[in-house]
Amino acid sequence: MDHCCNWECYKKLRTENIPIQPRTITKLKIVFFDMDGVLADINGSWRQIHQHYHTDNNTNVENYLKGQLTDEEFIQSDINQWRNTNGDLPTQNDIKNIYKNAPLMKGSKTLMTHLKENSITTAIVSAGVDILAKQIQTQLNIDICYANALNTDKNNNLAGTGTVNVPLCHKDKPIQKILKELNIQPHQAISIGNSCFDLPMFYAVGIGIAFNPSDSCIINEADHTVPTKNLEDLIPLIDSYLQDNQP
């Protein structure tokens, strides 16, 4: 584990104070999950594609965190590294094939079943690639999925651009949108993430849980930390907040 946030930290770009909801849960109704390193046992959905095509996006990350790229430009710069020697981009099916064997995090199916049995809505909120997010949504029967899209042309080839549904440093925004649409209050929601980029998810709800944490930034600000790679280990903690749901 990397015990500190170095250059990959959202706080270096988003410096304004983010409103933090009171740290409490009453009548839990929804649990939000980050994807990479939480639901998927991978280092990153973007990184999976870069590894497949032997490309590197470290420069893009640096430029983004310096404020030199918008989220849209960041995604576009990544995608256009995947062109072949003829200048062609992969198809959507090519990307799906890269992800087809992406491993789920241990215990994910058990946890989702447990949440369903307790009538808890589940949601993915990820700045990762929506192709993998939708695959995991289907595999785990998750209710809601927000992630970033790879735009395609009429022939299903990548178009070289993306649609930003979850800004990397503003993951609180889609959570606020979902809560409003479902008429759920922040104190009825839990967020689960593994890196400093997930802290805005924590601030937007009543409780934030650092699962499989990758840096000390999220450990220091999480309400709870579960340092394992087994999502079943979250069940006793979530159950402690479900007690108030009993009739």
Side-chain angles (χ1 to χ4, degrees):
M1 181 192 301
D2 177 10
H3 286 282
C4 63
C5 280
N6 297 315
W7 53 279
E8 289 188 349
C9 185
Y10 92 94
K11 293 181 180 180
K12 295 190 177 182
L13 182 60
R14 187 176 179 183
T15 56
E16 80 274 19
N17 290 326
I18 306 173
I20 300 177
Q21 294 295 326
R23 313 318 296 161
T24 185
I25 292 292
T26 306
K27 297 289 185 183
L28 179 63
K29 290 187 176 181
I30 188 169
V31 178
F32 295 99
F33 293 88
D34 178 40
M35 178 174 68
D36 299 344
V38 176
L39 295 176
D41 192 6
I42 60 174
N43 290 328
S45 51
W46 294 97
R47 188 174 299 178
Q48 291 281 107
I49 305 176
H50 281 294
Q51 289 175 343
H52 180 83
Y53 290 112
H54 305 290
T55 54
D56 190 311
N57 74 336
N58 283 345
T59 299
N60 290 342
V61 173
E62 289 181 6
N63 290 336
Y64 173 78
L65 293 175
K66 290 176 182 176
Q68 296 174 358
L69 294 175
T70 65
D71 285 87
E72 290 82 2
E73 292 167 338
F74 188 9
I75 290 175
Q76 184 173 336
S77 296
D78 267 22
I79 293 170
N80 282 283
Q81 290 189 61
W82 307 333
R83 294 184 183 275
N84 62 23
T85 54
N86 294 323
D88 298 323
L89 284 166
T91 66
Q92 187 179 67
N93 285 335
D94 291 332
I95 304 302
K96 287 182 178 179
N97 285 332
I98 293 171
Y99 290 138
K100 67 181 180 181
N101 295 318
L104 294 171
M105 186 63 69
K106 183 179 179 181
S108 55
K109 292 182 179 180
T110 301
L111 175 59
M112 294 305 160
T113 298
H114 185 74
L115 293 173
K116 292 293 181 186
E117 289 173 347
N118 285 277
S119 302
I120 303 301
T121 300
T122 52
I124 297 172
V125 176
S126 171
V129 180
D130 72 337
I131 292 173
L132 178 58
K134 290 176 180 178
Q135 174 181 308
I136 291 174
Q137 180 184 23
T138 299
Q139 290 172 317
L140 297 178
N141 192 27
I142 291 172
D143 299 300
I144 299 165
C145 179
Y146 274 64
N148 294 326
L150 307 179
N151 297 335
T152 58
D153 61 22
K154 62 182 180 180
N155 297 316
N156 218 29
N157 296 311
L158 299 193
T161 60
T163 298
V164 178
N165 298 308
V166 182
L168 180 59
C169 294
H170 295 262
K171 297 178 76 173
D172 51 319
K173 303 304 183 185
I175 286 183
Q176 291 166 349
K177 180 174 184 289
I178 294 167
L179 292 176
K180 183 177 180 180
E181 289 174 349
L182 297 181
N183 194 28
I184 295 175
Q185 299 303 310
H187 63 79
Q188 298 173 311
I190 287 174
S191 287
I192 300 169
N194 74 323
S195 79
C196 71
F197 292 102
D198 299 320
L199 286 176
M201 294 176 62
F202 290 8
Y203 301 155
V205 300
I207 291 294
I209 302 173
F211 171 79
N212 181 32
S214 61
D215 55 63
S216 65
C217 191
I218 194 166
I219 293 173
N220 292 339
E221 298 198 42
D223 299 290
H224 304 281
T225 298
V226 177
T228 71
K229 294 186 70 175
N230 186 345
L231 283 166
E232 288 185 39
D233 294 340
L234 291 172
I235 291 176
L237 179 55
I238 292 174
D239 280 353
S240 71
Y241 290 109
L242 284 172
Q243 293 177 5
D244 189 48
N245 289 27
Q246 302 302 317

